[in-house]
Amino acid sequence: MAAPENRILMGKIGAAHGIKGEVRITAFTGDPEAIASYGPLDTDRAGLTITIETARLSKNVLVARLKGIRDRNAAELLNGVSLFVDRARLPDPDDEDDFYHADLIGLDARLDTGVSIGEVSALLNFGAGDLLEVRDPRSGDTFLYPFTKTVVPTVRIADGFLVIAPPVDADPGEEEPD
């Protein structure tokens, strides 16, 4: 199994689907059905590797049959399992503006003036969009920035940095509503 820092999160198994052992998978790939083409997938459970035998798109999730899983009880035990692939097994992006989210971790985060404000320590998503977590090396504090083209206008993976243009508060004296 690849070291955790060399693995790319491809999807997460959700609830069982039906009684014949199928599961729902939320895929984090551009084409959700592509997750089935990567062969055996590593998981976040020690010693568990998952192979997707068949998969079909159903609304916003993938319904998949997994090798060795043939009943609902076995499928239910996999709920919440994360699926990973070794970074070396993925093709390099075709365009310099394309990248894998994992490639952002460790990049120097700079203001447009060139001043470094820290290092990208995580890319998070709590349901309302991607957030970059930047850790200030001096204080150890972390700051979250929306990962949008407006706030992060430049990403230079090969050069080891990205540019952050922090959103400007329209009225810093205005209080938050209760």
Side-chain angles (χ1 to χ4, degrees), residues 84-96:
F84 300 89
V85 70
D86 183 43
R87 172 69 171 88
R89 289 176 47 201
L90 297 176
D92 287 330
D94 295 330
D95 188 317
E96 69 180 34

Side-chain angles (χ1 to χ4, degrees), residues 6-176:
N6 293 329
R7 299 186 318 166
I8 304 289
L9 179 63
M10 302 297 285
K12 190 168 192 170
I13 298 175
H17 183 83
I19 61 170
K20 295 184 179 178
E22 290 182 314
V23 295
R24 295 175 185 177
I25 297 176
T26 300
F28 304 131
T29 56
D31 170 13
E33 293 175 294
I35 192 172
S37 68
Y38 290 106
L41 300 165
D42 295 330
T43 69
D44 54 358
R45 290 197 185 159
L48 177 64
T49 300
I50 298 288
T51 300
I52 299 173
E53 292 181 338
T54 62
R56 68 185 185 282
L57 205 52
S58 176
K59 297 182 182 174
N60 60 346
V61 296
L62 206 59
V63 175
R65 174 171 300 287
L66 307 178
K67 184 176 180 181
I69 306 298
R70 294 293 177 251
D71 64 60
R72 185 174 184 87
N73 292 337
E76 287 175 345
L77 294 174
L78 297 174
N79 192 351
V81 170
S82 294
L83 305 171
F84 300 89
V85 70
D86 183 43
R87 172 69 171 88
R89 289 176 47 201
L90 297 176
D92 287 330
D94 295 330
D95 188 317
E96 69 180 34
D97 288 334
D98 290 338
F99 49 83
Y100 297 107
H101 283 177
D103 294 339
L104 300 172
I105 308 302
L107 291 182
D108 184 35
R110 302 175 184 173
L111 298 175
D112 55 6
T113 60
V115 173
S116 175
I117 59 172
E119 181 179 287
V120 177
S121 55
L123 185 68
L124 309 167
N125 189 318
F126 300 107
D130 292 329
L131 297 170
L132 277 180
E133 180 182 77
V134 176
R135 180 173 303 281
D136 182 334
R138 296 170 296 277
S139 67
D141 293 337
T142 58
F143 301 92
L144 297 176
Y145 299 95
F147 188 52
T148 63
K149 191 70 170 162
T150 302
V151 177
V152 186
T154 305
V155 176
R156 298 277 169 83
I157 302 293
D159 297 326
F161 75 92
L162 54 77
V163 174
I164 293 183
V168 178
D169 189 2
D171 184 2
E174 187 175 315
E175 291 186 23
E176 289 290 319

